[in-house]
Amino acid sequence: SKDDVIVMQGRVTDASPGARFKVRLENGHVMNAIVSGKIRKNNIQIILDDLVEVEMSVYDMNLGRIIYRR
């Protein structure tokens, strides 16, 4: 459910085709992340070295969703 998410901050380190990114979190963990629907809808561009907020499930810590770009 929506209550089972963790929100963390990180930096974009690599960009792949299909709006997939590698994000290094504050604790040093590197994860794959995709762009949320609201960011796609509003055409917000994410580039390397951007500071982003990522939400991830407590069940799978290797894949997350980028929900905010700072």
Side-chain angles (χ1 to χ4, degrees), residues 2 6 24 28 30 49 54 62:
K2 291 189 177 188
I6 300 170
R24 180 177 299 278
V30 177
D49 209 36
V54 179
N62 294 323

Side-chain angles (χ1 to χ4, degrees), residues 2-66:
K2 291 189 177 188
D3 298 332
D4 295 337
V5 295
I6 300 170
V7 177
M8 295 189 74
Q9 288 189 355
R11 272 200 195 275
V12 176
T13 59
D14 188 27
S16 300
R20 292 189 171 264
F21 299 93
K22 286 204 185 283
V23 177
R24 180 177 299 278
L25 300 177
E26 297 169 325
N27 59 7
H29 181 71
V30 177
M31 66 180 301
N32 293 321
I34 59 173
V35 178
S36 72
K38 293 267 185 179
I39 291 180
R40 279 185 199 232
K41 179 181 162 188
N42 293 314
N43 201 20
I44 297 171
Q45 299 296 316
I46 297 175
I47 57 174
L48 295 180
D49 209 36
D50 271 348
L51 189 62
V52 294
E53 281 188 12
V54 179
E55 91 177 358
M56 66 187 103
S57 171
V58 295
Y59 303 109
D60 185 13
M61 299 283 195
N62 294 323
L63 182 65
R65 183 180 317 138
I66 296 174

